[in-house]
Coordinates of all heavy atoms in Angstrom, one line a residue:
M17 N -64.7 0.2 9.6 CA -64.7 1.5 8.9 C -66.1 1.7 8.3 O -66.5 1.0 7.4 CB -63.7 1.5 7.8 CG -62.9 2.8 7.6 SD -62.3 3.8 8.6 CE -61.4 5.0 7.5
P18 N -66.8 2.7 8.9 CA -68.2 2.9 8.2 C -68.1 3.4 6.9 O -67.2 4.3 6.6 CB -68.9 3.9 9.2 CG -67.7 4.6 10.0 CD -66.6 3.6 9.9
E19 N -69.0 3.1 6.0 CA -69.0 3.6 4.6 C -69.7 5.0 4.6 O -70.7 5.1 5.3 CB -69.7 2.7 3.8 CG -68.8 1.5 3.4 CD -69.1 0.9 2.0 OE1 -70.4 0.9 1.7 OE2 -68.4 0.5 1.2
R20 N -69.1 5.8 3.7 CA -69.8 7.1 3.4 C -70.3 7.2 2.1 O -69.7 6.4 1.2 CB -68.8 8.3 3.8 CG -68.1 8.1 5.1 CD -69.0 8.4 6.2 NE -68.3 8.1 7.5 CZ -69.0 8.3 8.6 NH1 -70.2 8.6 8.7 NH2 -68.2 8.1 9.6
T21 N -71.1 8.1 1.7 CA -71.6 8.2 0.3 C -71.4 9.6 -0.1 O -71.8 10.4 0.5 CB -73.2 7.9 0.4 OG1 -73.3 6.5 0.9 CG2 -73.7 8.0 -1.1
C22 N -70.8 9.7 -1.3 CA -70.7 10.9 -2.1 C -72.1 11.6 -2.3 O -72.9 10.9 -2.9 CB -69.9 10.9 -3.3 SG -69.7 12.3 -4.2
I23 N -72.3 12.9 -1.9 CA -73.6 13.4 -2.2 C -73.8 13.9 -3.7 O -74.9 14.1 -4.0 CB -73.8 14.8 -1.2 CG1 -72.8 15.8 -1.6 CG2 -73.9 14.3 0.2 CD1 -73.2 17.2 -1.0
A24 N -72.8 13.8 -4.5 CA -72.9 14.1 -5.8 C -73.1 12.8 -6.7 O -74.1 12.7 -7.4 CB -71.7 14.9 -6.4
C25 N -72.2 11.8 -6.6 CA -72.2 10.6 -7.6 C -72.8 9.4 -6.8 O -73.1 8.4 -7.5 CB -70.8 10.4 -8.1 SG -69.7 9.8 -6.9
R26 N -73.0 9.5 -5.5 CA -73.6 8.4 -4.7 C -72.7 7.2 -4.5 O -73.1 6.1 -4.0 CB -74.9 8.0 -5.1 CG -76.0 9.0 -5.5 CD -76.3 10.1 -4.4 NE -76.9 9.3 -3.3 CZ -77.1 9.9 -2.1 NH1 -76.9 11.2 -2.0 NH2 -77.6 9.3 -1.1
N27 N -71.4 7.3 -4.9 CA -70.5 6.2 -4.7 C -70.3 6.1 -3.2 O -70.2 7.1 -2.5 CB -69.1 6.4 -5.5 CG -69.1 6.0 -6.8 OD1 -70.1 5.4 -7.3 ND2 -68.2 6.6 -7.7
K28 N -70.0 4.9 -2.8 CA -69.8 4.7 -1.3 C -68.2 4.2 -1.2 O -67.6 3.7 -2.1 CB -70.5 3.5 -1.0 CG -72.0 3.7 -0.7 CD -72.7 2.6 -0.1 CE -74.2 2.6 -0.3 NZ -74.8 3.8 0.0
N29 N -67.6 4.8 -0.1 CA -66.1 4.4 0.1 C -65.9 4.7 1.6 O -66.8 5.2 2.4 CB -65.4 5.3 -0.8 CG -64.1 4.4 -1.2 OD1 -63.5 3.7 -0.4 ND2 -63.8 4.4 -2.5
D30 N -64.7 4.4 2.0 CA -64.2 4.8 3.3 C -64.2 6.3 3.5 O -63.9 7.1 2.5 CB -62.9 4.3 3.6 CG -62.8 2.8 3.8 OD1 -63.9 2.1 3.9 OD2 -61.9 2.1 3.6
Q31 N -64.3 6.9 4.7 CA -64.4 8.2 4.9 C -63.1 9.0 4.4 O -63.3 10.1 3.8 CB -64.4 8.5 6.5 CG -64.6 9.8 6.9 CD -65.0 10.1 8.3 OE1 -65.4 9.1 8.9 NE2 -64.7 11.3 8.9
G32 N -62.0 8.4 4.5 CA -60.7 9.0 4.1 C -60.7 9.3 2.5 O -59.8 10.0 2.0
F33 N -61.6 8.6 1.8 CA -61.6 8.9 0.4 C -62.3 10.2 0.0 O -62.2 10.6 -1.1 CB -62.5 7.6 -0.3 CG -62.5 7.5 -1.7 CD1 -61.5 7.1 -2.5 CD2 -63.6 8.0 -2.3 CE1 -61.5 7.0 -3.8 CE2 -63.8 8.0 -3.8 CZ -62.7 7.4 -4.5
F34 N -63.0 10.8 0.9 CA -63.8 11.9 0.7 C -63.4 13.1 1.4 O -62.7 13.0 2.4 CB -65.4 11.6 1.1 CG -66.0 10.5 0.5 CD1 -66.4 9.4 1.1 CD2 -66.4 10.6 -0.9 CE1 -66.9 8.3 0.6 CE2 -67.0 9.5 -1.5 CZ -67.2 8.4 -0.8
W35 N -63.8 14.3 0.9 CA -63.8 15.5 1.7 C -65.0 15.5 2.6 O -66.1 15.2 2.1 CB -63.7 16.8 0.8 CG -62.3 17.0 0.2 CD1 -61.2 17.0 0.8 CD2 -62.2 17.3 -1.2 NE1 -60.2 17.2 -0.1 CE2 -60.8 17.4 -1.4 CE3 -63.0 17.5 -2.2 CZ2 -60.2 17.8 -2.6 CZ3 -62.4 17.8 -3.5 CH2 -61.0 18.0 -3.6
R36 N -64.9 16.0 3.8 CA -66.0 16.1 4.6 C -66.3 17.5 4.8 O -65.6 18.4 5.1 CB -65.7 15.5 6.0 CG -66.9 15.7 7.0 CD -66.4 14.9 8.2 NE -67.5 15.1 9.3 CZ -67.3 16.1 10.2 NH1 -66.3 16.8 10.4 NH2 -68.3 16.3 11.2
V37 N -67.7 17.7 4.6 CA -68.2 19.2 4.8 C -69.2 19.2 5.9 O -70.1 18.1 6.0 CB -68.8 19.6 3.5 CG1 -69.6 21.0 3.7 CG2 -67.8 19.8 2.4
A38 N -69.2 20.0 6.8 CA -70.1 20.0 8.0 C -70.7 21.3 8.4 O -70.0 22.3 8.1 CB -69.5 19.3 9.2
R39 N -71.7 21.2 9.1 CA -72.3 22.5 9.6 C -71.9 22.7 11.0 O -72.0 21.8 11.8 CB -73.8 22.4 9.5 CG -74.6 23.5 9.8 CD -76.1 23.3 9.8 NE -76.6 23.0 8.6 CZ -76.9 23.9 7.6 NH1 -76.7 25.1 7.7 NH2 -77.5 23.3 6.4
D40 N -71.5 23.8 11.4 CA -71.0 24.1 12.8 C -72.3 24.5 13.6 O -73.4 24.7 13.1 CB -70.0 25.1 12.9 CG -70.2 26.4 12.5 OD1 -71.5 26.9 12.4 OD2 -69.3 27.3 12.2
F41 N -72.1 24.8 14.8 CA -73.1 25.2 15.7 C -73.8 26.6 15.4 O -74.9 26.8 15.8 CB -72.7 25.2 17.2 CG -72.2 23.9 17.7 CD1 -70.9 23.6 18.1 CD2 -73.1 22.8 17.8 CE1 -70.6 22.4 18.5 CE2 -72.7 21.6 18.2 CZ -71.5 21.4 18.5
E42 N -73.1 27.4 14.6 CA -73.8 28.7 14.2 C -74.5 28.5 12.9 O -75.0 29.5 12.3 CB -72.7 29.6 14.2 CG -72.1 29.9 15.5 CD -70.8 30.9 15.4 OE1 -70.1 30.8 14.4 OE2 -70.5 31.6 16.4
G43 N -74.4 27.3 12.3 CA -75.1 27.1 11.1 C -74.3 27.3 9.8 O -74.7 27.1 8.8
R44 N -73.0 27.7 10.1 CA -72.1 27.9 9.0 C -71.6 26.5 8.5 O -71.5 25.6 9.2 CB -70.8 28.7 9.4 CG -71.3 30.1 9.9 CD -71.9 30.9 9.0 NE -71.3 31.2 7.8 CZ -70.6 32.3 7.6 NH1 -70.5 33.3 8.5 NH2 -69.9 32.6 6.5
V45 N -71.4 26.5 7.1 CA -71.0 25.2 6.5 C -69.5 25.4 6.0 O -69.3 26.4 5.3 CB -71.9 24.9 5.2 CG1 -71.4 23.7 4.5 CG2 -73.3 24.7 5.9
A46 N -68.7 24.5 6.3 CA -67.3 24.6 5.8 C -66.6 23.2 5.8 O -67.1 22.2 6.4 CB -66.5 25.6 6.8
L47 N -65.4 23.2 5.2 CA -64.7 22.0 5.1 C -64.1 21.6 6.5 O -63.5 22.4 7.2 CB -63.6 22.2 4.0 CG -62.9 21.0 3.4 CD1 -63.8 20.2 2.6 CD2 -61.7 21.7 2.7
W48 N -64.4 20.3 6.8 CA -63.8 19.7 8.1 C -64.1 20.5 9.4 O -63.5 20.3 10.3 CB -62.3 19.7 8.0 CG -61.8 18.7 7.0 CD1 -61.1 19.1 5.8 CD2 -61.9 17.3 7.0 NE1 -60.9 17.9 5.1 CE2 -61.4 16.8 5.9 CE3 -62.4 16.5 8.1 CZ2 -61.3 15.4 5.6 CZ3 -62.3 15.1 7.7 CH2 -61.8 14.6 6.5
K49 N -65.2 21.3 9.3 CA -65.7 22.0 10.6 C -66.9 21.4 11.0 O -67.7 20.7 10.3 CB -65.8 23.5 10.3 CG -64.4 24.2 10.2 CD -64.7 25.6 10.2 CE -63.4 26.4 9.9 NZ -63.6 27.6 9.2
G50 N -67.1 21.7 12.4 CA -68.4 21.3 12.9 C -68.5 19.8 13.4 O -67.6 19.0 13.0
H51 N -69.4 19.5 14.1 CA -69.4 18.2 14.6 C -70.7 17.6 14.3 O -71.0 16.4 14.7 CB -69.3 18.2 16.3 CG -68.0 18.8 16.6 ND1 -66.8 18.2 16.7 CD2 -67.8 20.1 17.0 CE1 -65.9 19.0 17.0 NE2 -66.5 20.2 17.2
G52 N -71.7 18.3 13.8 CA -73.0 17.8 13.5 C -73.1 17.1 12.2 O -72.1 16.4 11.7
R53 N -74.2 17.3 11.5 CA -74.5 16.7 10.2 C -73.4 17.0 9.2 O -73.0 18.1 9.1 CB -75.9 17.1 9.9 CG -76.3 16.4 8.6 CD -77.8 16.8 8.4 NE -78.7 16.2 9.5 CZ -79.2 14.9 9.4 NH1 -78.8 14.1 8.5 NH2 -79.9 14.5 10.4
S54 N -73.0 15.9 8.5 CA -72.0 16.2 7.6 C -72.2 15.6 6.2 O -73.2 14.7 6.1 CB -70.7 15.8 8.0 OG -70.7 14.5 8.5
A55 N -71.6 16.1 5.2 CA -71.7 15.6 3.8 C -70.3 15.2 3.3 O -69.4 15.9 3.7 CB -72.3 16.6 3.0
Y56 N -70.4 14.2 2.5 CA -69.0 13.8 1.9 C -69.1 13.9 0.3 O -70.0 13.8 -0.4 CB -68.9 12.3 2.2 CG -68.8 12.0 3.7 CD1 -69.9 11.9 4.6 CD2 -67.5 12.2 4.4 CE1 -69.8 11.8 6.0 CE2 -67.4 12.2 5.6 CZ -68.6 11.9 6.5 OH -68.4 11.8 7.9
I57 N -67.9 14.4 -0.1 CA -67.7 14.7 -1.5 C -66.4 14.0 -2.0 O -65.3 14.2 -1.4 CB -67.6 16.2 -1.7 CG1 -68.9 16.9 -1.1 CG2 -67.5 16.6 -3.2 CD1 -68.7 18.4 -1.0
C58 N -66.5 13.3 -3.2 CA -65.3 12.8 -3.7 C -64.3 13.8 -4.1 O -64.6 14.9 -4.4 CB -65.6 12.0 -5.0 SG -66.7 10.6 -5.0
K59 N -63.0 13.4 -4.2 CA -62.0 14.4 -4.4 C -61.7 14.6 -5.9 O -60.8 14.2 -6.4 CB -60.6 14.0 -3.7 CG -60.8 14.0 -2.2 CD -59.6 13.4 -1.5 CE -59.9 13.5 0.0 NZ -58.7 13.0 0.9
K60 N -62.7 15.0 -6.5 CA -62.7 15.3 -8.0 C -63.6 16.4 -8.4 O -64.6 16.6 -7.8 CB -62.9 13.9 -8.7 CG -64.1 13.3 -8.5 CD -64.1 11.9 -9.3 CE -65.4 11.1 -9.1 NZ -65.4 9.9 -9.7
Q61 N -63.3 16.9 -9.6 CA -64.0 18.1 -10.1 C -65.5 17.9 -10.2 O -66.4 18.7 -9.9 CB -63.3 18.6 -11.3 CG -64.0 19.8 -11.9 CD -63.7 21.1 -11.1 OE1 -62.5 21.4 -10.9 NE2 -64.6 21.9 -10.7
E62 N -65.8 16.8 -10.8 CA -67.2 16.5 -11.2 C -68.0 16.5 -9.8 O -69.1 16.9 -9.9 CB -67.4 15.1 -11.9 CG -66.6 14.9 -13.1 CD -65.4 14.1 -12.8 OE1 -64.4 14.8 -12.3 OE2 -65.2 12.8 -12.9
C63 N -67.5 15.9 -8.8 CA -68.3 15.8 -7.6 C -68.3 17.0 -6.9 O -69.4 17.4 -6.2 CB -67.8 14.7 -6.7 SG -68.1 13.0 -7.5
I64 N -67.3 17.9 -7.0 CA -67.4 19.3 -6.4 C -68.6 20.0 -7.1 O -69.4 20.6 -6.5 CB -66.1 20.1 -6.6 CG1 -64.9 19.4 -5.9 CG2 -66.3 21.5 -6.1 CD1 -63.5 20.0 -6.2
D65 N -68.6 20.0 -8.4 CA -69.6 20.7 -9.1 C -71.0 20.1 -8.8 O -71.9 20.8 -8.6 CB -69.4 20.4 -10.6 CG -68.1 21.2 -11.1 OD1 -67.7 22.1 -10.4 OD2 -67.7 20.8 -12.2
G66 N -71.1 18.7 -8.8 CA -72.4 18.1 -8.5 C -72.8 18.4 -7.1 O -74.0 18.6 -6.8
A67 N -71.9 18.3 -6.1 CA -72.4 18.6 -4.9 C -72.8 20.0 -4.5 O -73.7 20.2 -3.7 CB -71.1 18.3 -3.9
L68 N -72.2 21.0 -5.3 CA -72.6 22.3 -5.1 C -73.7 22.9 -6.0 O -74.2 24.0 -5.8 CB -71.4 23.2 -5.2 CG -70.3 23.1 -4.3 CD1 -69.0 23.7 -4.6 CD2 -70.7 23.5 -2.9
S69 N -74.3 21.9 -6.7 CA -75.4 22.3 -7.6 C -76.7 21.5 -7.1 O -76.6 20.5 -6.3 CB -75.1 21.9 -9.0 OG -75.1 20.7 -9.2
K70 N -77.8 22.1 -7.6 CA -79.1 21.4 -7.6 C -79.5 21.1 -6.0 O -80.2 20.1 -5.7 CB -79.1 20.0 -8.2 CG -78.9 20.1 -9.7 CD -78.7 18.9 -10.3 CE -78.3 18.9 -11.8 NZ -77.8 17.6 -12.2
G71 N -79.0 21.9 -5.2 CA -79.5 21.8 -3.7 C -79.0 20.5 -3.0 O -79.6 20.2 -2.0
R72 N -78.0 19.8 -3.6 CA -77.6 18.6 -2.9 C -77.1 18.8 -1.5 O -77.1 18.1 -0.6 CB -76.6 17.9 -3.7 CG -77.2 17.3 -5.0 CD -76.2 16.3 -5.6 NE -77.0 15.5 -6.6 CZ -76.5 15.6 -7.9 NH1 -75.6 16.5 -8.2 NH2 -77.2 14.9 -8.9
L73 N -76.2 19.9 -1.4 CA -75.5 20.2 -0.2 C -76.6 20.6 0.8 O -76.6 20.1 2.1 CB -74.6 21.4 -0.4 CG -73.6 21.6 0.7 CD1 -72.7 20.3 0.9 CD2 -72.7 22.7 0.3
E74 N -77.6 21.3 0.5 CA -78.7 21.8 1.4 C -79.4 20.4 1.9 O -79.9 20.3 3.1 CB -79.7 22.6 0.7 CG -79.2 24.1 0.6 CD -78.3 24.2 -0.7 OE1 -77.8 23.3 -1.3 OE2 -78.0 25.5 -1.0
R75 N -79.7 19.6 0.9 CA -80.4 18.3 1.3 C -79.6 17.5 2.2 O -80.2 17.0 3.2 CB -80.8 17.6 0.0 CG -82.1 16.9 0.2 CD -82.4 16.2 -1.2 NE -82.5 17.2 -2.3 CZ -81.9 17.0 -3.6 NH1 -81.4 15.7 -3.9 NH2 -81.9 17.9 -4.4
A76 N -78.3 17.4 2.1 CA -77.5 16.5 2.8 C -77.3 17.2 4.2 O -77.3 16.4 5.2 CB -76.1 16.4 2.2
L77 N -77.3 18.4 4.3 CA -77.1 19.0 5.6 C -78.5 19.6 6.1 O -78.4 20.3 7.1 CB -76.1 20.3 5.4 CG -74.7 19.9 5.0 CD1 -73.9 21.1 4.7 CD2 -74.0 19.0 6.0
K78 N -79.5 19.2 5.6 CA -80.9 19.5 6.1 C -81.1 21.0 6.4 O -81.6 21.3 7.5 CB -81.2 18.7 7.3 CG -80.9 17.2 7.2 CD -82.2 16.5 6.6 CE -82.0 15.1 6.6 NZ -82.6 14.4 5.4
G79 N -80.8 21.8 5.4 CA -81.0 23.2 5.7 C -80.3 24.1 4.7 O -79.6 23.6 4.0
P80 N -80.6 25.4 4.8 CA -79.9 26.3 3.8 C -78.4 26.5 4.0 O -78.0 26.3 5.1 CB -80.6 27.6 4.1 CG -81.2 27.5 5.5 CD -81.5 26.2 5.7
V81 N -77.8 26.7 3.0 CA -76.3 27.0 3.0 C -76.1 28.4 2.5 O -76.5 28.7 1.3 CB -75.6 26.0 2.1 CG1 -74.0 26.3 2.0 CG2 -75.8 24.5 2.6
A82 N -75.4 29.2 3.3 CA -75.3 30.6 2.9 C -74.5 30.6 1.6 O -73.6 29.8 1.4 CB -74.5 31.4 4.0
S83 N -74.8 31.6 0.8 CA -74.1 31.6 -0.5 C -72.6 32.0 -0.5 O -71.7 31.5 -1.2 CB -74.7 32.7 -1.5 OG -74.8 34.0 -0.9
E84 N -72.3 32.6 0.7 CA -70.9 33.0 0.9 C -70.2 31.6 1.3 O -69.0 31.5 0.9 CB -70.7 34.0 2.1 CG -69.4 34.5 2.2 CD -69.2 35.2 3.6 OE1 -70.2 35.7 4.1 OE2 -68.0 35.3 4.1
D85 N -70.7 31.0 2.1 CA -70.2 29.6 2.6 C -69.9 28.7 1.4 O -68.9 28.1 1.3 CB -71.0 28.9 3.6 CG -71.1 29.5 4.9 OD1 -70.4 30.5 5.1 OD2 -72.0 29.0 5.7
R86 N -70.9 28.8 0.5 CA -70.8 27.8 -0.7 C -69.6 28.3 -1.6 O -68.8 27.5 -2.1 CB -72.1 28.0 -1.5 CG -72.1 27.2 -2.8 CD -73.3 27.6 -3.6 NE -74.5 27.4 -2.9 CZ -75.2 26.3 -2.9 NH1 -74.8 25.3 -3.5 NH2 -76.3 26.2 -2.1
R87 N -69.4 29.6 -1.7 CA -68.4 30.1 -2.6 C -67.1 29.8 -2.0 O -66.1 29.3 -2.6 CB -68.6 31.7 -2.7 CG -67.6 32.3 -3.7 CD -68.0 33.9 -3.9 NE -68.2 34.5 -2.6 CZ -67.2 34.8 -1.8 NH1 -65.9 34.6 -2.2 NH2 -67.4 35.5 -0.6
V88 N -66.9 30.1 -0.6 CA -65.6 29.7 0.0 C -65.4 28.3 -0.1 O -64.2 27.8 -0.4 CB -65.7 30.1 1.6 CG1 -64.5 29.5 2.3 CG2 -65.8 31.6 1.6
L89 N -66.3 27.5 0.1 CA -66.2 26.0 0.0 C -65.8 25.5 -1.4 O -64.8 24.7 -1.6 CB -67.5 25.3 0.4 CG -67.5 23.9 0.6 CD1 -66.6 23.5 1.7 CD2 -68.9 23.3 0.9
Q90 N -66.3 26.2 -2.4 CA -66.0 25.8 -3.8 C -64.5 26.2 -4.0 O -63.8 25.4 -4.6 CB -66.9 26.5 -4.7 CG -66.7 26.1 -6.1 CD -67.8 26.7 -7.0 OE1 -68.5 27.7 -6.6 NE2 -68.1 26.1 -8.0
D91 N -64.1 27.4 -3.6 CA -62.8 27.8 -3.8 C -61.9 26.9 -3.0 O -60.7 26.5 -3.6 CB -62.6 29.2 -3.2 CG -63.2 30.3 -4.1 OD1 -63.5 30.0 -5.2 OD2 -63.3 31.5 -3.6
E92 N -62.1 26.5 -1.8 CA -61.2 25.6 -1.1 C -61.2 24.2 -1.7 O -59.9 23.7 -1.8 CB -61.8 25.4 0.3 CG -61.4 26.6 1.3 CD -61.9 26.3 2.7 OE1 -62.9 25.6 2.9 OE2 -61.4 26.8 3.7
L93 N -62.1 23.7 -2.2 CA -62.2 22.4 -2.8 C -61.3 22.3 -4.1 O -60.6 21.6 -4.4 CB -63.6 21.9 -3.0 CG -64.5 21.6 -1.6 CD1 -65.7 21.1 -2.0 CD2 -63.7 20.6 -0.9
I94 N -61.6 23.3 -4.8 CA -61.0 23.6 -6.3 C -59.4 23.7 -6.0 O -58.6 23.0 -6.6 CB -61.6 24.6 -7.1 CG1 -62.9 24.1 -7.5 CG2 -60.7 24.9 -8.2 CD1 -63.8 25.1 -8.2
C95 N -59.1 24.5 -4.9 CA -57.7 24.7 -4.6 C -57.1 23.4 -4.2 O -55.9 23.1 -4.6 CB -57.8 25.7 -3.5 SG -56.1 26.4 -3.1
K96 N -57.8 22.5 -3.4 CA -57.2 21.3 -3.0 C -57.0 20.2 -4.1 O -56.3 19.4 -4.0 CB -58.1 20.6 -2.0 CG -57.9 21.2 -0.6 CD -59.1 20.6 0.3 CE -58.7 20.9 1.8 NZ -57.6 20.3 2.4
L97 N -57.7 20.4 -5.2 CA -57.6 19.6 -6.4 C -56.2 19.8 -7.1 O -55.7 18.9 -7.7 CB -58.6 19.8 -7.5 CG -59.9 19.1 -7.3 CD1 -60.8 19.5 -8.4 CD2 -59.8 17.6 -7.2
R98 N -55.6 21.0 -7.0 CA -54.5 21.3 -7.7 C -53.2 20.6 -7.0 O -53.2 20.5 -5.9 CB -54.2 22.8 -7.8 CG -55.4 23.5 -8.5 CD -55.0 24.9 -8.9 NE -56.3 25.5 -9.5 CZ -56.9 26.6 -9.0 NH1 -56.5 27.1 -7.9 NH2 -57.9 27.0 -9.6
Ligands
ZN121 ZN1 -68.6 11.5 -5.9

């Protein structure tokens, strides 16, 4: 099992431990979509906040993330925490 790293806290773990966010072929960023470059986020509030701030998502995905995509992603992740 390859290890993944949370883009917020940098903890390493198995892929199943994280949510996966990826960029699709149109450049949109969403949860579990796309086959290209992806970013991993721990399933907790601090890491959602951390991942969506300070350009971490942009850095992990090597490019801009639309503000709408970011907002949808944040809503989805927070919803999954409940
Ligand atoms: Zn984390």
Side-chain angles (χ1 to χ4, degrees):
M17 215 43 175
E19 279 208 323
R20 309 295 177 178
T21 305
C22 173
I23 61 170
C25 67
R26 313 303 299 177
N27 279 345
K28 292 187 197 311
N29 216 318
D30 292 340
Q31 187 168 341
F33 187 80
F34 301 110
W35 284 313
R36 175 175 174 262
V37 173
R39 188 187 294 283
D40 68 16
F41 294 117
E42 293 167 338
R44 303 303 297 266
V45 172
L47 197 60
W48 291 109
K49 284 196 187 140
H51 306 277
R53 188 170 288 280
S54 50
Y56 296 88
I57 304 170
C58 298
K59 298 177 179 177
K60 53 187 184 185
Q61 182 74 54
E62 306 95 275
C63 291
I64 296 172
D65 294 343
L68 292 171
S69 69
K70 298 176 192 160
R72 285 196 175 112
L73 198 55
E74 285 82 350
R75 212 172 309 137
L77 298 173
K78 306 278 188 217
V81 176
S83 55
E84 188 196 336
D85 290 352
R86 179 194 302 273
R87 189 174 47 74
V88 169
L89 191 60
Q90 186 168 26
D91 287 350
E92 279 184 332
L93 293 177
I94 286 168
C95 192
K96 278 175 172 290
L97 272 184
R98 297 197 185 115

